[in-house]
Amino acid sequence: MATVQTDQVTLTIDGQSVTVPKGTLILDAAKAINIDIPIFCSHPKMAPVAVCRMCLVEVEKMPKLQPACAVYVAEGMVVKTTTEQVAKYQKGVLEFLLINHPLDCPICDKGGECPLQDQTFQYGPGASRFEFQKAHFDKGVPLSDKIVLDRERCILCWRCTRFSEEISGERELALIQRGVHTIIGTFNDEPAQSNYQGNWTEICPVGALTSRQYRFVSRPWDLDRTASVCPGCSMGCNIQLDARSNKIGRFQSRENLAVDDGWLCDTGRYSFPNFQRLTQDRPQIRRDGRLERVTYDEVIAFTADALKASGQLAGWVSPAASNEELFLFQRLFREVLASPNLDHRSAVLEDAEPDDMTLPIADIEHCDQVVVLGGQDVIDAAPVLHLRLFKSQRKGVNVLKVGAADVKKALDAVPAEAQGVGILATEANKKAAVELQGKLQKKVKGSVRRLIVTTGPNGRGAKDLGILPHRGPGYVSLNGKSGKGRVEWPGAGVKALYVHESSPLHGFVPTDAESMWLSALPLVVFHRFKPSPLDEVAHVIIPGHAFTEKDGTVTSMEGRVQRIRKGIDAAWVREDWRVFQEIANHLGADWEYESVEAITGDLVRALPPYRAVNEGARVLWSESR
Amino acid sequence: MALAKPTVEEIKTRAARYPSRQSAIIPALWAVQHEQGYVTKESMGEIAQILGLPPSLIEATASFYSMFLARPEGRHDVVICVNAPCMLRGADEMAAYLGQQLGVRDGETTTDGAITWHSTIECLGACGGAPMMQVDHHFEENLTPERIDSIIERLRTEPAPHGPKPEKAAAVARPRAKRTQN
Amino acid sequence: MGLKPVLTKDFHTENLEQLSVYERTGGYAGFKKALEMQPDELVELVKKSGLRGRGGAGFPTGNKWSFLPKGVYPRYLVCNADESEPGCFKDRYLIEKSPHQVLEGILIASYAIGCNLAFIYIRGEYLPQHEALESAIEEARQAGYLGKNVLGKGYEIDVILHRGAGAYICGEETALLTSLEGYRGEPRLKPPFPAIKGLYGKPTVVNNVETVANLPHIVINGADWFGAMGTPTGKGTRVWCMSGHVNRPGNYELENGTPIRELIEEHGGGVWKNRKLKAFQPGGASMMVLLPEHLDVGLDFDAIQKAGSLAGAGAMVVMDETTCMVDAARRYVKFFHHESCGKCTPCREGTFWMSNLFDRFEAGEAKATDVDLLLDIGYSIDGRSFCPLGDASTWFPRSVIKFFRDEFLEHVSEKGCPFKKMAQEAVA
């Protein structure tokens, strides 16, 4: 936790001297010198409560043991964490916790990654001396359609209820009853509505709160864990993709303080079944009205020739494709097929520009005024933003949620003496956001920055890399060689369409008018991860990789370039980038990419601001312009 | 059952007096229990609405305090203390006698719906007059079997002290509760 | 030493709960005099008097007041009338007999600390006492003792009477504040102390009923008068709540330092039924048991602590030779188990476990090793709990094991309570 004081305090913990900033907890000071003090209730994102009493340590001159999670360091303090008294007491508190905790570890989803299990092993008593009936509570309570609650396993650490109060602010979970009868629950046992429930399962130090989707799926030691990025939206939350037997088991958070602050939303977390590969489909070509299975080589040759022969072409690539795919896709269209009709969007939206991301996510906390233009629409588009906004509010930031039409209201509400103003809006409301920004810049003393929530996990990348009819990579103008955007295609004499979508969450969903047009189109190439209704109108189907099955990079709404990694091996499916390269080469190009990394390297050469990829940092366009 | 208008008004009045409306939760629960005899989840939801607070907060608070009843009980509430200071002066015997005379077990309501009784380990603050019990929160001290008999007889016919009117229990004719000695 | 009615001086007066009667006995003269003084002078006066809090901890009241940070407003006074300690019934008595005396004390304390809104947190079970205070506040308001401009002196004060709803833990001052804010009555971390961050995050003083009831008398008679009563470190009087096996249980206001023997034998009329004294417990359910050898200890915070117990909230539970100490401890442990808020592990689980063990002794199913198991559990609760409730749940049972271990073992060897058996045999 950041502290404003620069004063340093020196203390001794288990004989080692350590110097930490004033305002540091004993627990954190110990951590700084690799002394591990066991905890259950303490959580770095939440105010200390000191309820579990697991972290009690000896502090010289204090008569009682002190909770390391709640006592701040002082100059000259002498702390002892491994004395006989402490050890005896740790055994005592674990024995207490186990009195009413069932011994069902073998069938508990938390088994193997359970702090209670681990600490019992390390610090606990060998056997329990408790010889009475345990207090019985409900097991398997459906807290919502996402979470199941086992009230017997709960050790009342208050983490989930504090999350509900301090992190999401929804105050949906509460402690009910008192004493040994205390339980956690929602009001009147109504299903929990929060979009952040999955986080409860991660902060729960026992198996009381577990995800229904992960019930009995795997043991942690059987999981293959891959660091990646959530495919849910453009927030760019970091995830751990946990797979078992080459099947996705779950998405877990992987803290990135600048982005997600350690949290995920349920929309993203529980989206993984969409990426589960159900069938082993093959490339297909429609002949005499029927789709026939062919080889990759056949489909590539056929597609290349058909595209070449089609005349007016259009290409749509989903905002969930990787930067490397996007880069090659636009090269294929612009350089090889000489078609300027490129798009990744669903509708015509305001022009995209680097100024759309001058406000980094983490800087929301450092604004004094934040206008959420469009209110809940913005949160729905990137749910984890709510947690950042709520955190900011608790720190004193004034967060104003207004309708997209309420520019005037927002303008009036922001005081002239504001030092730092942030504006958040979705792509659909960009125009209003720009208008508000302009007016506020005239009104207020401080800076006014905006952050436009892009659509799709790589909508920003698609814009940066010029998957637009009127902009090339790096937002360069096409000097009168602009093509047509998606909504114009049906009326522009387009004869062939190549749709590439790797995410069922951000697919090509045709409007009614488009459906009619598509069914009459001479050539529809559909390059996708799994069967979809669009297969019906496709002449060519090329199976591709899911978001979770490939390596590459994606760019979040704030311009942060982050790596996604292959968590599931679908080796029999040809990599999407390789398909693009082979189509290009079939048509006379001489691309020689051997790996994704090679494409990334080329991409950075073509677009120097993208060197940010090496640090997982934000692309800083202003420096290069 | 929606809350009666005077109850809603009382809750609002109380809320306005405190520096934070949240402080009105316990007074609001009292007002509801006064009107309805117990506090349903539905009423908690109503309190939440009136005070503009999340309903989970109302249930969290209501369930913490032992005096808020979750289900309807008899017209009269009889609680007999059996903690040590009362035990020393024969509270166990009085509790047994009370149960025997009422013909129902600890925590139950008499068949005529007149009395719900239970023993409590929670000291009620009349150790000097032990054995003691509270009848509708009024003190009855220095209990003897004869005194218990006469109290039961009175309660069998007396109306409930609470009701739709949020006025004080004193509105109901009742003998003045015995005060502590000294 | 001996009986010294100060707070209870006029309690024989009929209708003392009425304002006019209270005024006739000199009521509100203290508040009027206080209003002529500077608040700081009052704080100094109370400091000088040596008045210590009567709620249990015995912290000097004037010092508590002076901890409030300068210049931070609003600040609150909360009168703790959540008397729930088994064995205690003095606050109830003080309120019932003279609600205006309590209110006057609150007004003086409020004026002294610069508070314009005071609270009385009264336990839910004290309904008649709630009504008495409610009437008193109304009468005082009509008479101008409360309001925007008290007695034309430009001081503003209002008092909100807040009724609890059944939770012993709310007698702990931080839990009381949490409860007053509408939450579950769970204690809070200290620091910050209520004086710095109390009710609604503002500087707050919490004073017990008996503590504030002393204030009118100190203001009228002065610090020296008060200091002349009692012992050097325990000035003034205390109202002792005597219960259990004595001939005349009830409240007795005695000068601090009066020997326990005098309270029990003289005022209480001695142990009832001509039986012998076995043990007694000062302070209430929480406090350690003392033995006949301690009868000459003075009723005073420090003297009782030296003898191995604590004066707490001023209870005196007397137990004669027929008392089963195991059963007495069982009741208290069950009480703490019932009243544990559940916030911290040791208290929540430890009192549950101890309660089970005591039931096993009572049922005659305990093992001899259970005695040491109780001590072990006590080790893991006392000093480890979040608040004193957990700690205190172990004090009485552990002191009983210390002095009466044999009784536990008899429960084991005789497979049940030897005292119950004796009583049954006597009846047969």
Side-chain angles (χ1 to χ4, degrees):
Chain A
M1 205 166 278
T3 118
V4 275
Q5 285 153 317
T6 50
D7 315 24
Q8 300 285 305
V9 172
T10 301
L11 67 156
T12 309
I13 306 178
D14 294 341
Q16 288 189 62
S17 175
V18 57
T19 303
V20 290
K22 208 171 163 182
T24 303
L25 295 165
I26 294 176
L27 180 72
D28 296 325
K31 207 176 283 170
I33 46 172
N34 294 318
I35 291 175
D36 200 23
I37 298 173
I39 51 161
F40 292 113
C41 68
S42 169
H43 192 283
K45 309 273 188 232
M46 303 174 194
V49 283
V51 301
C52 78
R53 317 302 285 174
M54 188 65 209
C55 68
L56 298 195
V57 293
E58 274 182 40
V59 178
E60 261 180 25
K61 292 182 192 141
M62 292 195 181
K64 290 181 179 184
L65 295 181
Q66 297 294 313
C69 76
V71 175
Y72 295 95
V73 295
E75 187 61 41
M77 197 181 238
V78 178
V79 179
K80 291 172 188 161
T81 76
T82 56
T83 63
E84 200 181 324
Q85 187 190 196
V86 170
K88 184 175 173 197
Y89 171 68
Q90 283 166 341
K91 275 191 180 46
V93 79
L94 281 163
E95 194 174 17
F96 283 152
L97 285 172
L98 295 173
I99 280 180
N100 285 315
H101 187 86
L103 297 172
D104 60 354
C105 306
I107 55 154
C108 177
D109 282 333
K110 201 80 174 188
E113 55 182 1
C114 173
L116 181 60
Q117 200 179 30
D118 295 348
Q119 292 183 27
T120 301
F121 190 72
Q122 194 176 346
Y123 305 98
S128 176
R129 294 173 292 173
F130 183 77
E131 300 168 328
F132 303 91
Q133 280 273 324
K134 288 175 186 280
H136 281 297
F137 298 103
D138 296 332
K139 294 177 79 74
V141 180
L143 207 53
S144 69
D145 53 354
K146 302 173 233 179
I147 304 290
V148 63
L149 165 66
D150 186 322
R151 289 191 165 128
E152 291 192 339
R153 292 184 191 151
C154 175
I155 58 165
L156 298 170
C157 72
W158 294 22
R159 281 185 178 180
C160 59
T161 54
R162 281 185 289 154
F163 179 94
S164 196
E165 188 177 338
E166 297 175 29
I167 309 292
S168 77
E170 296 161 313
R171 298 221 265 187
E172 222 181 354
L173 277 186
L175 295 157
I176 299 165
Q177 305 297 337
R178 79 170 182 217
V180 82
H181 306 292
T182 311
I183 52 171
I184 57 157
T186 55
F187 171 65
N188 201 19
D189 288 327
E190 286 166 10
Q193 302 290 320
S194 171
N195 195 13
Y196 309 97
Q197 297 175 38
N199 298 302
W200 304 343
T201 68
E202 289 198 41
I203 57 179
C204 182
V206 292
L209 289 161
T210 51
S211 286
R212 293 183 132 190
Q213 283 182 341
Y214 186 66
R215 277 209 114 185
F216 313 128
V217 166
S218 179
R219 284 298 178 197
W221 52 82
D222 290 329
L223 289 172
D224 298 312
R225 322 197 75 171
T226 308
S228 192
V229 173
C230 178
C233 73
S234 61
M235 186 84 185
C237 298
N238 294 190
I239 60 164
Q240 195 87 251
L241 195 165
D242 288 346
R244 189 187 179 197
S245 310
N246 211 28
K247 201 165 178 289
I248 310 170
R250 64 182 179 185
F251 289 168
Q252 291 280 85
S253 68
R254 183 168 60 89
E255 183 182 80
N256 183 333
L257 293 178
V259 179
D260 46 54
D261 211 14
W263 312 117
L264 295 181
C265 70
D266 293 343
T267 314
R269 180 191 300 270
Y270 296 123
S271 68
F272 73 82
N274 293 296
F275 299 88
Q276 217 71 276
R277 187 173 282 279
L278 305 171
T279 53
Q280 284 202 13
D281 63 345
R282 295 279 178 229
Q284 296 167 74
I285 295 173
R286 193 178 296 278
R287 288 185 178 125
D288 303 326
R290 279 186 55 241
L291 287 168
E292 284 178 16
R293 286 185 164 204
V294 295
T295 65
Y296 266 100
D297 289 344
E298 277 178 86
V299 87
I300 284 163
F302 180 87
T303 304
D305 294 339
L307 286 172
K308 188 80 187 166
S310 287
Q312 182 94 273
L313 293 177
W316 190 87
V317 59
S318 110
S322 69
N323 286 322
E324 290 70 19
E325 289 163 354
L326 295 170
F327 184 61
L328 290 199
F329 192 80
Q330 70 87 27
R331 280 193 67 194
L332 173 66
F333 266 74
R334 292 215 168 95
E335 295 172 19
V336 181
L337 294 165
S339 167
N341 303 321
L342 270 176
D343 216 339
H344 70 282
R345 303 168 302 180
S346 301
V348 171
L349 298 162
E350 284 304 304
D351 204 358
E353 54 201 316
D355 283 353
D356 290 344
M357 47 182 157
T358 48
L359 174 68
I361 292 167
D363 273 14
I364 292 172
E365 284 176 40
H366 306 124
C367 292
D368 50 3
Q369 302 280 331
V370 174
V371 180
V372 184
L373 201 61
Q376 191 58 34
D377 288 354
V378 177
I379 305 303
D380 290 344
V384 173
L385 267 183
H386 163 71
L387 303 182
R388 184 72 69 167
L389 285 165
F390 187 68
K391 183 182 181 191
S392 306
Q393 256 175 317
R394 281 174 61 94
K395 286 171 83 174
V397 179
N398 186 28
V399 174
L400 179 69
K401 289 182 181 167
V402 295
D406 290 332
V407 168
K408 189 172 172 341
K409 191 173 157 193
L411 185 62
D412 294 344
V414 176
E417 60 275 13
Q419 290 299 314
V421 185
I423 301 169
L424 299 176
T426 59
E427 282 185 71
N429 294 321
K430 182 184 158 175
K431 194 175 173 184
V434 173
E435 183 194 338
L436 177 63
Q437 188 179 16
K439 289 182 173 165
L440 279 174
Q441 267 160 349
K442 287 187 194 119
K443 177 178 175 180
V444 307
K445 265 197 211 146
S447 67
V448 184
R449 293 178 291 171
R450 71 172 185 261
L451 177 59
I452 302 297
V453 180
T454 44
T455 304
N458 201 21
R460 174 65 61 204
K463 289 167 188 42
D464 289 352
L465 294 170
I467 312 296
L468 292 163
H470 60 300
R471 296 261 180 238
Y475 301 95
V476 296
S477 157
L478 295 173
N479 298 324
K481 289 180 185 159
S482 288
K484 298 277 190 269
R486 170 171 164 184
V487 294
E488 300 165 301
W489 293 339
V494 169
K495 295 282 181 279
L497 176 67
Y498 190 148
V499 173
H500 174 262
E501 70 175 44
S502 52
S503 162
L505 298 181
H506 304 281
F508 183 94
V509 180
T511 61
D512 289 350
E514 277 178 328
S515 292
M516 299 224 332
W517 168 66
L518 277 174
S519 57
L521 211 57
L523 179 63
V524 176
V525 178
F526 192 32
H527 188 171
R528 87 291 184 266
F529 147 66
K530 69 177 182 185
S532 92
L534 221 56
D535 288 359
E536 299 284 319
V537 297
H539 302 93
V540 177
I541 291 174
I542 311 173
H545 278 150
F547 194 91
T548 46
E549 294 171 343
K550 60 186 160 202
D551 291 326
T553 65
V554 292
T555 310
S556 75
M557 61 165 96
E558 61 168 354
R560 186 176 303 278
V561 191
Q562 307 185 102
R563 290 192 191 282
I564 60 170
R565 293 185 181 83
K566 187 198 291 182
I568 298 295
D569 186 18
W572 68 91
V573 178
R574 201 162 290 184
E575 291 101 323
D576 302 39
W577 62 268
R578 204 178 287 280
V579 170
F580 299 155
Q581 171 164 291
E582 286 171 4
I583 292 174
N585 288 350
H586 186 86
L587 296 174
D590 55 354
W591 300 356
E592 288 175 342
Y593 297 113
E594 294 290 339
S595 65
V596 172
E597 288 69 35
I599 310 172
T600 316
D602 231 12
L603 192 161
V604 173
R605 273 187 290 281
L607 210 57
Y610 260 68
R611 60 181 171 268
V613 65
N614 298 320
E615 287 90 43
R618 290 173 61 241
V619 177
L620 297 173
W621 296 98
S622 52
E623 283 181 15
S624 59
R625 281 193 299 173
Chain B
M1 179 167 47
L3 294 178
K5 221 171 168 185
T7 308
V8 175
E9 286 312 310
E10 193 189 332
I11 294 171
K12 286 183 179 163
T13 311
R14 291 297 300 227
R17 283 199 71 194
Y18 290 95
S20 153
R21 64 201 158 157
Q22 192 162 289
S23 284
I25 294 178
I26 293 177
L29 290 163
W30 273 126
V32 169
Q33 182 152 307
H34 207 101
E35 180 204 312
Q36 305 194 340
Y38 62 111
V39 187
T40 60
K41 300 278 174 75
E42 189 191 340
S43 308
M44 292 180 201
E46 273 191 79
I47 293 173
Q49 255 185 354
I50 297 167
L51 297 178
L53 297 167
S56 63
L57 193 57
I58 315 295
E59 188 178 351
T61 295
S63 63
F64 184 86
Y65 297 93
S66 63
M67 292 178 79
F68 294 124
L69 306 175
R71 54 194 69 79
E73 294 199 342
R75 289 202 310 279
H76 300 284
D77 174 41
V78 174
V79 186
I80 184 161
C81 173
V82 294
N83 204 327
C86 280
M87 178 265 286
L88 295 175
R89 294 187 76 96
D92 288 356
E93 291 73 15
M94 288 306 127
Y97 183 78
L98 180 65
Q100 190 192 319
Q101 294 305 299
L102 293 176
V104 289
R105 276 181 306 197
D106 196 339
E108 292 180 346
T109 304
T110 53
T111 44
D112 59 357
I115 300 166
T116 303
W117 83 279
H118 61 92
S119 65
T120 183
I121 200 74
E122 194 176 338
C123 174
L124 295 169
C127 321
M132 64 76 63
M133 61 189 190
Q134 273 205 329
V135 175
D136 300 327
H137 303 311
H138 285 77
F139 291 88
E140 300 287 357
E141 303 182 27
N142 300 306
L143 292 177
T144 58
E146 295 73 35
R147 288 211 51 223
I148 288 178
D149 286 343
S150 75
I151 293 165
I152 293 175
E153 199 185 310
R154 166 165 68 79
L155 297 180
R156 292 262 188 215
T157 53
E158 218 175 70
H162 53 72
K165 284 189 191 167
E167 280 93 52
K168 280 190 206 136
V172 179
R174 57 151 56 246
R176 195 152 173 75
K178 221 177 127 61
R179 299 254 165 146
T180 329
Q181 57 185 55
N182 273 19
Chain C
M1 302 290 152
L3 275 185
K4 189 100 185 184
V6 175
L7 311 188
T8 59
K9 173 170 56 75
D10 298 305
F11 278 18
H12 57 275
T13 311
E14 277 285 308
N15 301 325
L16 185 63
E17 72 277 11
Q18 292 172 12
L19 178 62
S20 55
V21 178
Y22 179 66
E23 283 176 323
R24 225 176 297 138
T25 64
Y28 287 104
F31 182 43
K32 285 178 189 156
K33 188 177 170 191
L35 286 175
E36 301 298 328
M37 296 166 70
Q38 290 302 314
D40 286 351
E41 283 178 71
L42 274 169
V43 177
E44 283 312 309
L45 172 73
V46 173
K47 263 191 186 170
K48 194 170 161 230
S49 75
L51 174 67
R52 291 171 68 175
R54 302 307 198 218
F59 197 83
T61 306
N63 290 13
K64 203 175 195 179
W65 291 359
S66 61
F67 289 156
L68 295 179
K70 296 259 172 293
V72 185
Y73 295 92
R75 38 177 68 173
Y76 299 110
L77 178 90
V78 180
C79 176
N80 185 346
D82 192 51
E83 177 175 74
S84 313
E85 180 80 19
C88 291
F89 44 95
K90 66 180 173 67
D91 293 346
R92 174 189 158 200
Y93 173 62
L94 292 171
I95 292 167
E96 221 168 65
K97 288 287 184 182
S98 185
H100 281 289
Q101 178 175 259
V102 175
L103 185 58
E104 186 183 359
I106 290 169
L107 297 176
I108 292 169
S110 298
Y111 176 72
I113 65 165
C115 145
N116 304 111
L117 180 59
F119 296 84
I120 304 172
Y121 187 104
I122 185 164
R123 68 179 298 197
E125 289 84 353
Y126 282 2
L127 186 60
Q129 294 69 24
H130 179 276
E131 288 167 6
L133 279 170
E134 204 170 31
S135 309
I137 291 170
E138 217 28 65
E139 277 187 306
R141 196 189 307 281
Q142 297 298 328
Y145 293 121
L146 261 74
K148 296 263 179 223
N149 182 5
V150 173
L151 304 175
K153 301 284 181 192
Y155 174 58
E156 179 185 347
I157 180 70
D158 194 9
V159 178
I160 295 182
L161 182 58
H162 188 93
R163 188 178 172 205
Y168 165 74
I169 183 65
C170 294
E172 195 280 333
E173 64 175 0
T174 62
L176 182 148
L177 297 177
T178 315
S179 175
L180 189 44
E181 288 174 4
Y183 295 101
R184 303 157 59 77
E186 286 147 351
R188 303 177 184 174
L189 276 173
K190 289 194 275 193
F193 289 90
I196 310 297
K197 253 182 115 176
L199 189 62
Y200 311 121
K202 298 286 186 279
T204 302
V205 167
V206 182
N207 282 154
N208 166 261
V209 167
E210 188 184 351
T211 311
V212 297
N214 270 287
L215 297 173
H217 306 283
I218 292 173
V219 171
I220 290 290
N221 301 308
D224 292 340
W225 162 84
F226 188 80
M229 294 185 291
T231 64
T233 56
K235 315 276 194 196
T237 66
R238 282 200 82 176
V239 180
W240 284 90
C241 315
M242 188 156 47
S243 64
H245 294 152
V246 285
N247 281 309
R248 288 190 298 273
N251 284 299
Y252 297 92
E253 187 178 6
L254 304 175
E255 188 172 352
N256 285 336
T258 304
I260 294 173
R261 184 187 300 281
E262 183 185 326
L263 172 63
I264 296 177
E265 293 181 358
E266 210 171 293
H267 309 301
V271 176
W272 72 348
K273 300 180 183 176
N274 289 317
R275 289 183 188 153
K276 274 200 275 190
L277 177 68
K278 181 174 191 173
F280 56 90
Q281 184 195 18
S286 305
M287 303 314 171
M288 304 76 170
V289 72
L290 291 178
L291 304 175
E293 67 196 65
H294 299 116
L295 272 175
D296 294 315
V297 170
L299 288 162
D300 166 65
F301 286 117
D302 298 344
I304 291 177
Q305 188 167 3
K306 226 175 127 195
S309 186
L310 292 162
M316 183 58 67
V317 184
V318 179
M319 300 166 189
D320 74 17
E321 55 191 319
T322 67
T323 309
C324 172
M325 299 307 290
V326 177
D327 197 17
R330 185 176 76 97
R331 309 272 169 154
Y332 287 144
V333 164
K334 293 191 93 63
F335 166 77
F336 285 108
H337 164 51
H338 183 262
E339 297 301 330
S340 169
C341 77
K343 179 167 184 163
C344 73
T345 311
C347 173
R348 180 184 68 238
E349 307 294 338
T351 56
F352 170 72
W353 194 357
M354 286 201 296
S355 172
N356 270 296
L357 280 167
F358 269 104
D359 282 349
R360 185 149 93 176
F361 276 104
E362 179 73 10
E365 292 160 4
K367 300 182 278 193
T369 52
D370 286 350
V371 185
D372 287 322
L373 180 54
L374 278 171
L375 291 178
D376 246 22
I377 297 170
Y379 173 88
S380 292
I381 301 176
D382 187 14
R384 286 53 162 136
S385 299
F386 190 96
C387 84
L389 188 151
D391 298 346
S393 73
T394 70
W395 297 343
F396 185 78
R398 286 196 292 165
S399 68
V400 169
I401 292 175
K402 181 173 158 197
F403 294 122
F404 301 96
R405 184 182 272 262
D406 287 352
E407 284 191 23
F408 285 85
L409 298 175
E410 276 176 62
H411 278 74
V412 176
S413 59
E414 297 194 19
K415 301 199 182 310
C417 176
F419 295 92
K420 286 226 171 71
K421 280 186 190 159
M422 258 194 300
Q424 278 159 2
E425 280 159 19
V427 172

